Each structure stands twice: as C-alpha cells, then as structure tokens.
Amino acid sequence: MSPTGSGQMTAALHRFTPMVRWLLIFVTLAAPAFAQERVVNIYNWTDYIDPSVLADFTAQTGIKTRYDVFDSLETLEAKLFAGHSGYDIVLPSNEPSFSRLIRAGALATIDRTKVPNWKNLDPALMQRIESSDANNRHGAIYLWGSIGLGINPDRIRALAPDAPMDSWALLLDPVWAKRIAPCGIIMMDSAIDVIPSVLRYLGRSPDGSAPDDLAAVLKTLMAIRPYIRDFASGGALEAMATGQACLAMDYSGDVDQAGARAKEAGKGVDVEYVVPKQGSEIGFDMLAIPADAPHKEAALAFINFVLRPDVMARITDATRYPNAIPATRALVRPALLDDPNVFPTDAVMQRFFTIGPSAPAADRARTRLWSRFKAGS
C-alpha cells in the first residue's frame, strides 16, 4: 500500500471506536491469508484411496485435503454440470463421463510442466484414453478396472447347481435370476455402466443406441426386474462381504475388496470376481481438474504426488485396483501381482471391451430406459 493510501486509511479508522478499528485492521490483514488458503478439494469414488496418502500429501506439501465421495457417474456429472462444485480434483471414468465433460468445457487442461511425474505413466494405457481426450490434455489415469460379476459360488450352487457361473446369463437370463434370487441379487445403480454390458451379452455393439438396441436391452432388464433385491454401486461391496447378497454386478476392485474383507471376517463367506465369457467393459478413472476449480495449483501438486510410484503402489494395495504406472509392479504386495482380478492375464485382457463417446440424444434415451427399468414399468 502506498504512503498516501496508508494515511487515508489511518484517518478513516479514527472515525470508529477502538474495538471496531482493531476488527477492521484484523480483517484487512487476514484477508490475503484466507484468499491464499492452501487446500485441495477432492471428489472421488467410494473406497478408492489409501487414507494415509492424504495425510502424507499434507505433511509433505503443507496443502490440506478435503475429501468427499460419490458412488455413481451420474452423481459426479450432476455436480460438475451444475457448475461451481467447489472441487479441485475429480475422478470421472473415461467413457462416457470424462469425454462428455471435456466436450462441455467443464474440465481444465493439465499444465504438465507442473506435473513432472507424468513421465511415470504407461504410454500404451494413456493411448487408450486418446479417443476420449485427444493428446491426453485433460487428465491422467488414476486406476482402472472392469465391470463383471461378484459371486458367492457356494450359495449360488446350492440353489442352482447347473448355473452358468462364467456368463452374463447368470444375471441377465430370468431362468437363472429367478433361481438365484433367494440369496440376494444386487444390480449396479448406473445406466452408464449397465447398458453397454447388456448390449454385449445380446451380441450387439456396446455403443448401440438405435431404438431396436434399446428395446432389446429394456426387454432383457425387465425380465429380471422382479429378482433384483437392491440397486447399489458402492453398497454392493458390503453386502457381498457379509453374505447378504450372493450375486452382484459390480466393479472388479470392489468385488476383490469384498472378497478380502470376507476372508478377514472368517465367517465362511466366499466372494469371487468373474469376467463373463461374453466380455467385460474396461474403464479408466481419470485425475482431472474442473474448469472452475478454486485451487488449480494445489490440484496439480496433488496429481504430481499421486503419480509417484511409491504412492500409487500404496493406493493399489489398499483398493485392489490396477494402476497405469509400470514402476509400481516392483512395489505392490506380491499377492496382488498374482491376483488376475487386479492384474489380469493376457487371456483375460482379450475379453475386455471399451466404449466410445455417446451423443446427447442417446444419453437421454438410455436415461429414460433406466428409469423404466428401476420403476419396473
């Protein structure tokens, strides 16, 4: 502040009582500190980080973390499309959410000069994202996985000894769904995640959006609607781990976490993940920064921290999801390296499929279909 300005401020302050003057001085001096608060606001999937990573980030950078969770892409998109979410880091899946947010201008470009650990990412995996994000300008891969079936094989066999345990028919054929229903079936609560897999099961393109494609999907889903106990994305993990459900459509890492928790509980609950023979959708969750993020510099620091091999290895250990940093292979727990659900074999990788960007009209049609399915009408 200039001397002239300082003198004018002093004269103005004399008009107030001493208490008010001290309050005005405090607010004036403290304002810059509040404006420059060092914090990063993170919006991530449920059960999708090692909490100690957040504490270490703060200890090493001085930047505090505020951490919220979501359990579906629909929830994430609603927050970001509304604008002014207040988040600095978000983790959308590459399709359709990440590409849709990019097209809408809702995500900032990444300044890679401030993310030197970008070099640790697997170029082959990052290339898979370029159909969603040309030249990888808006995000880095955090973790990735597939969508398949979580099963309790013993309980299913007790009800249906001849059930096709390696097929989407276990869930999507009403003959089997009806027989298995007494031990509990959970469906993902996400049209974005479910519809492509149903299309694949029906022998159609996972990107299909023609009226006859969606009619076939609705017919298939409505046939099993009476046998769905619950719709959940994050909640399926606990239900499977405790034996409250014996069949769930879910993310690979969530099912693997459920299996680990069930084993630790020692109550005889066995949970396994199945990549159906017809194929499973593979998806990549991206570290991205909203265009209106209030703390972009802190967000870049967080991305750089997470892309360290030692940090990302801890995240894979905790979540049981694979990452895109090859150097972590020497750091993750050996048991996870041998787990094909975490690090799929080449044979399993061949059964994975990806989906492409979708048009707004197709999104609206799929949303209407999903509402009818959930309502059962």
Side-chain angles (χ1 to χ4, degrees):
M1 182 179 291
S2 68
T4 302
S6 178
Q8 291 173 343
M9 179 178 176
T10 301
L13 287 172
H14 281 300
R15 297 200 305 266
F16 302 100
T17 65
M19 181 176 292
V20 172
R21 287 203 298 270
W22 279 113
L23 179 60
L24 289 171
I25 292 171
F26 173 79
V27 171
T28 301
L29 294 176
F34 287 131
Q36 298 170 16
E37 182 183 18
R38 302 194 73 202
V39 64
V40 60
N41 300 295
I42 304 163
Y43 199 35
N44 196 4
W45 292 89
T46 305
D47 296 305
Y48 213 42
I49 200 167
D50 178 347
S52 69
V53 165
L54 302 176
D56 285 353
F57 173 71
T58 299
Q60 294 182 35
T61 67
I63 301 172
K64 298 177 183 178
T65 62
R66 295 178 183 141
Y67 191 86
D68 292 336
V69 300
F70 58 90
D71 64 2
S72 76
L73 290 169
E74 286 86 347
T75 300
L76 170 64
E77 288 189 19
K79 285 269 190 183
L80 294 187
F81 282 130
H84 304 291
S85 68
Y87 293 112
D88 304 300
I89 292 284
V90 294
L91 288 98
S93 295
N94 62 306
E95 289 297 347
S97 297
F98 183 54
S99 65
R100 192 149 58 201
L101 290 166
I102 292 171
R103 291 196 301 272
L107 298 179
T109 56
I110 303 293
D111 182 353
R112 294 193 200 173
T113 65
K114 298 179 179 179
V115 188
N117 287 326
W118 193 282
K119 67 181 184 296
N120 297 325
L121 290 161
D122 185 339
L125 289 178
M126 288 299 292
Q127 188 176 23
R128 286 177 175 252
I129 308 301
E130 291 203 14
S131 61
S132 304
D133 179 23
N135 300 315
N136 299 130
R137 297 176 64 241
H138 296 85
I141 296 172
Y142 175 64
L143 299 174
W144 60 276
S146 62
I147 295 171
L149 296 174
I151 66 171
N152 182 317
D154 293 337
R155 295 185 67 193
I156 290 175
R157 289 193 183 101
L159 295 168
D162 50 346
M165 308 289 270
D166 63 346
S167 172
W168 281 114
L170 188 68
L171 170 66
L172 299 176
D173 186 330
V175 172
W176 300 114
K178 181 178 181 179
R179 291 176 64 179
I180 296 166
C183 65
I185 297 175
I186 297 180
M187 174 65 79
M188 296 180 81
D189 192 6
S190 173
I192 289 173
D193 290 318
V194 174
I195 292 176
S197 295
V198 179
L199 285 164
R200 179 73 172 218
Y201 167 69
L202 296 173
R204 298 169 180 257
S205 167
D207 295 317
S209 59
D212 62 322
D213 288 328
L214 299 186
V217 170
L218 182 59
K219 181 179 179 181
T220 300
L221 291 176
M222 292 301 287
I224 65 168
R225 180 63 184 88
Y227 313 117
I228 304 299
R229 176 181 295 177
D230 197 10
F231 288 84
S233 292
L237 192 160
E238 189 63 24
M240 289 295 295
T242 57
Q244 298 174 62
C246 65
L247 175 62
M249 184 177 183
D250 207 346
Y251 302 113
S252 55
D254 283 15
V255 176
D256 223 36
Q257 286 183 52
R261 293 184 189 183
K263 184 176 291 187
E264 290 172 4
K267 296 183 178 180
V269 176
D270 180 26
V271 180
E272 298 177 7
Y273 179 69
V274 173
V275 176
K277 62 184 180 182
Q278 296 90 349
S280 288
E281 180 186 343
I282 187 174
F284 299 87
D285 292 318
M286 309 301 296
L287 288 157
I289 302 174
D292 60 0
H295 309 102
K296 287 189 172 70
E297 293 299 314
L300 291 167
F302 183 80
I303 292 175
N304 191 56
F305 183 78
V306 167
L307 294 183
R308 282 171 35 182
D310 60 316
V311 174
M312 188 58 79
R314 289 162 55 194
I315 294 173
T316 287
D317 281 348
T319 64
R320 307 179 76 89
Y321 278 94
N323 61 68
I325 298 179
T328 61
R329 293 291 186 105
L331 302 172
V332 299
R333 289 186 285 118
L336 293 185
L337 285 176
D338 297 331
D339 186 340
N341 294 333
V342 181
F343 293 98
T345 64
D346 290 341
V348 172
M349 288 292 289
Q350 292 176 10
R351 298 211 299 272
F352 290 146
F353 66 86
T354 58
I355 60 174
S358 57
D363 296 334
R364 290 191 293 271
R366 290 185 174 201
T367 299
R368 290 193 297 270
L369 182 159
W370 192 251
S371 296
R372 288 189 60 187
F373 168 50
K374 289 190 66 176
S377 60

